[in-house]
Amino acid sequence: MKRRISYMTDSSSLPNPDSKLLQINSTSLSIQPQPNHHLHGAKEDRITLALDELPVELTSILKQCRELHIRWASDRPYEASTPFASRISPGLHVFVTPEEVQTSSKDLCNSLKELFGEGIKCSSFNETFTPLAPLSARFSHSTTHQYYSALQSPTSFLTHLASLLPTSSSLSSAPTTFDLSYTSLSHSLTVSTFHAAASTPQGWNDTITSHPHGRTEIGILFETPSLPSARDEEDEDAHAITLSGGLLVLGESEKFAPTLFSTPSRHHIHPARFSASFKQPTGLHPTLALSFPDVSALKPPTQPAKKGPNATADKQEKDQTCALHTHLTLPSSIFIDKYAFRDDLLLSSHNLASLRSLTGPSDLELPDWKIPSWGSAALFEITPPPRKQSGQQTSREATYQVTIPLHARYLPPSRTSGYAHVPIPVPVVFWACTSASGTKFATDPFDRAHLGYEGLFGERTVFYHLRPVVSGGATGAGGGAGVGSGGQGRVGSGGQGRVGSGGEGGGVRSRGERGGLTLDLKLPVLNLSPRSAAYIEPVTVAVVLVGFA
């Protein structure tokens, strides 16, 4: 067993070796906040175990798969930090390549229900999972099938998993993201939890204990300017990040050893932000709007300057090509008409360049209760705003908007009201850029793959992620569009609809149990409540009589 815990802070928050913040002995490390000394920042806890270290309950599930990658993200907004810049839409994502010859009669859906609860929509693997088709046969780093559920919390699963693993103290707390990865080639399982901020306002208050049959490494790190040697390289380290701080291996030392290293990173943070909302009224044909409040920031990322002998401005411009994308994860009740996006005029009118990928059911007429699969995933390339000519000023108040027309399937009738609420995760928005041919992301100890969209690009693609705008702070133009972090969080843009809007006409409404990164779409359904049902027959008769009059 190997365990690696990484705290990412800034240089001003590094612990003073003489303070009582860190209590270290041969078997444990305690972080205890002091009046003038505390540790803030993000934290990743990664545990790697061999198959023979796992209980039979887990190995029986894993042996059904050649690859299994489970990803979960909270719907609470958070501030990303290097090197944890990757993002996925909130909810439960499962990416799997099953074994060709199944040694167990147990369906993967049954296993998922045992792990995450009977409430998830999963009837059988063949019916519910959707195939993942890469855009090119060269992109072989993707799994073959995908599943999604709008799971709001994995607490029950993490609590159960914590009871099975030999050391898992961080699994019982509520993480920002949770990852589980297994490959038959490695014969190992990796479990990672990520917390975007400290668990208490006073900072981290942790006690980490070593395992007698494993290695526990702890790092307290912060990002620093690139190493001089990295800046001198022409290609290989163009997308590298440099981290420094201290490392400690429990049982081998009682002091943090200084460290400084540089590693290529697949995921980075872009300064631009965006908000998501639905145009009003929604009806059965809702339109998703992505608003970018600061047009001046919505530009391709700049590749770090090269200082090699052959580096020129023209060569640097050709070395990196970037395109703006958004990746949508939609439940089965919402679908995209792929045929409509073959029209260049329609694409242009919505500020879209193309629909690059769409997986999921293709039947556009079936009601939701006839769709066994979980839903669909779509990748759109966005047309960025035109660049201003030299001498022209770009207003920071200008808002650029991209719209995506969607369609709702007929939902089951309701006996309480004429509306149904469908949770729609806020999509991921990123710049996808080509990297140099020598970049090797496999060497990045913090690399995060199998997110549903990176398999649609080449293995050396670099992603620059935009963050959803959070209301209550600096928001976009037009009345403070944003994504709220509270229980009554908001996701909106200008006057086009906000989470929390009242009245029957609101298409997006916040529900107390959901966070700001989930849109609550309100769709009309047949109302079978006793009061409404009494009018159905006479109104139908009246319409028929008028038709024959």
Side-chain angles (χ1 to χ4, degrees):
M1 186 209 76
K2 296 180 181 179
R3 186 180 186 189
R4 191 191 72 212
I5 302 173
S6 304
Y7 294 92
M8 296 302 304
T9 182
D10 55 62
S11 57
S12 62
S13 300
L14 283 179
N16 186 334
D18 299 326
S19 72
K20 297 181 180 180
L21 174 65
L22 303 179
Q23 302 289 327
I24 308 173
N25 58 42
S26 59
T27 59
S28 68
L29 164 69
S30 293
I31 303 176
Q32 301 175 352
Q34 303 296 314
N36 297 319
H37 297 88
H38 44 74
L39 180 63
H40 283 279
K43 170 188 173 183
E44 183 194 55
D45 191 342
R46 179 175 295 198
I47 304 170
T48 302
L49 302 111
L51 280 183
D52 56 9
E53 297 178 289
L54 299 174
V56 177
E57 180 179 349
L58 277 179
T59 56
S60 62
I61 298 175
L62 298 177
K63 288 182 178 180
Q64 300 179 55
C65 311
R66 187 178 303 170
E67 283 190 66
L68 175 64
H69 306 279
I70 296 176
R71 308 285 184 253
W72 178 87
S74 169
D75 59 3
R76 302 298 178 188
Y78 67 94
E79 193 77 50
S81 59
T82 302
F84 310 115
S86 65
R87 288 184 180 269
I88 58 173
S89 295
L92 174 68
H93 305 254
V94 181
F95 305 98
V96 61
T97 299
E99 287 286 4
E100 294 181 2
V101 179
Q102 291 293 320
T103 58
S104 172
S105 60
K106 192 174 185 180
D107 190 87
L108 187 56
C109 274
N110 294 332
S111 300
L112 289 178
K113 287 184 176 182
E114 290 178 0
L115 296 175
F116 296 100
E118 292 290 332
I120 64 174
K121 178 181 178 179
C122 198
S123 56
S124 68
F125 176 82
N126 291 331
E127 290 185 337
T128 306
F129 280 70
T130 56
L132 282 171
L135 299 183
S136 170
R138 296 183 296 108
F139 304 162
S140 59
H141 57 293
S142 174
T143 52
T144 60
H145 290 78
Q146 176 184 9
Y147 171 79
Y148 171 80
S149 175
L151 184 70
Q152 296 171 16
S153 172
T155 302
S156 59
F157 168 68
L158 293 179
T159 302
H160 180 58
L161 187 62
S163 66
L164 299 177
L165 300 183
T167 176
S168 51
S169 59
S170 67
L171 294 182
S172 57
S173 57
T176 304
T177 66
F178 162 77
D179 293 353
L180 183 150
S181 291
Y182 163 79
T183 63
S184 58
L185 292 177
S186 65
H187 290 85
S188 64
L189 175 73
T190 300
V191 180
S192 302
T193 55
F194 168 69
H195 297 258
S199 54
T200 67
Q202 294 75 34
W204 287 106
N205 188 349
D206 288 349
T207 297
I208 303 165
T209 306
S210 63
H211 191 271
H213 304 294
R215 172 187 172 92
T216 302
E217 181 182 82
I218 304 167
I220 300 178
L221 307 168
F222 65 95
E223 186 180 11
T224 64
S226 299
L227 294 170
S229 59
R231 292 197 302 266
D232 292 340
E233 295 288 341
E234 285 198 39
D235 293 318
E236 186 169 354
D237 295 318
H239 298 282
I241 57 174
T242 301
L243 303 174
S244 61
L247 294 179
L248 170 72
V249 179
L250 289 180
E252 296 183 7
S253 174
E254 295 187 8
K255 293 181 63 177
F256 277 86
T259 185
L260 174 66
F261 63 93
S262 181
T263 178
S265 180
R266 189 191 313 268
H267 298 279
H268 299 263
I269 300 172
H270 192 276
R273 302 190 177 194
F274 74 97
S275 62
S277 64
F278 281 99
K279 286 195 169 185
Q280 301 301 305
T282 56
L284 291 175
H285 303 281
T287 297
L288 178 65
L290 303 178
S291 298
F292 303 88
D294 185 2
V295 177
S296 62
L298 191 62
K299 55 186 178 181
T302 303
Q303 185 171 343
K306 300 175 183 177
K307 295 191 176 182
N310 299 322
T312 64
D314 291 340
K315 182 179 184 299
Q316 190 163 319
E317 191 72 24
K318 295 177 182 178
D319 278 345
Q320 175 169 275
T321 301
C322 298
L324 186 61
H325 293 81
T326 182
H327 186 260
L328 281 67
T329 305
L330 302 172
S332 59
S333 53
I334 302 296
F335 68 92
I336 290 174
D337 182 3
K338 64 180 179 181
Y339 303 103
F341 291 101
R342 295 177 179 178
D343 184 350
D344 291 340
L345 290 178
L346 182 138
L347 288 167
S348 177
S349 66
H350 292 283
N351 286 331
L352 296 171
S354 65
L355 172 60
R356 294 202 57 201
S357 174
L358 178 63
T359 62
S362 57
D363 194 310
L364 308 183
E365 303 298 333
L366 287 179
D368 186 46
W369 60 85
K370 290 291 186 179
I371 301 294
S373 65
W374 65 266
S376 57
L379 177 69
F380 284 93
E381 182 178 341
I382 295 174
T383 301
R387 294 187 182 183
K388 295 294 183 180
Q389 299 297 324
S390 177
Q392 289 183 312
Q393 297 295 322
T394 300
S395 172
R396 293 183 61 87
E397 299 300 322
T399 298
Y400 186 70
Q401 189 172 87
V402 175
T403 51
I404 303 175
L406 307 173
H407 304 275
R409 297 187 185 277
Y410 291 113
L411 299 174
S414 171
R415 295 189 178 276
T416 57
S417 71
Y419 293 91
H421 296 273
V422 178
I424 306 295
V426 170
V428 180
V429 180
F430 53 84
W431 285 94
C433 304
T434 58
S435 64
S437 59
T439 307
K440 299 178 181 179
F441 296 116
T443 62
D444 178 11
F446 306 101
D447 188 33
R448 192 180 186 212
H450 302 285
L451 304 178
Y453 53 83
E454 90 288 353
L456 301 173
F457 299 87
E459 291 185 354
R460 304 191 186 281
T461 303
V462 182
F463 302 94
Y464 291 81
H465 296 268
L466 283 67
R467 180 196 161 182
V469 178
V470 178
S471 66
T475 60
V483 182
S485 59
Q488 295 295 325
R490 300 178 175 221
V491 182
S493 175
Q496 293 187 355
R498 301 184 173 196
V499 173
S501 59
E504 293 297 319
V508 187
R509 185 172 63 86
S510 177
R511 312 192 79 178
E513 70 273 15
R514 295 198 180 110
L517 296 184
T518 298
L519 294 169
D520 196 16
L521 180 60
K522 190 176 182 181
L523 297 175
V525 298
L526 180 62
N527 189 352
L528 292 183
S529 62
R531 183 177 179 182
S532 297
Y535 296 98
I536 294 178
E537 184 175 352
V539 170
T540 303
V541 172
V543 170
V544 172
L545 291 176
V546 171
F548 283 96

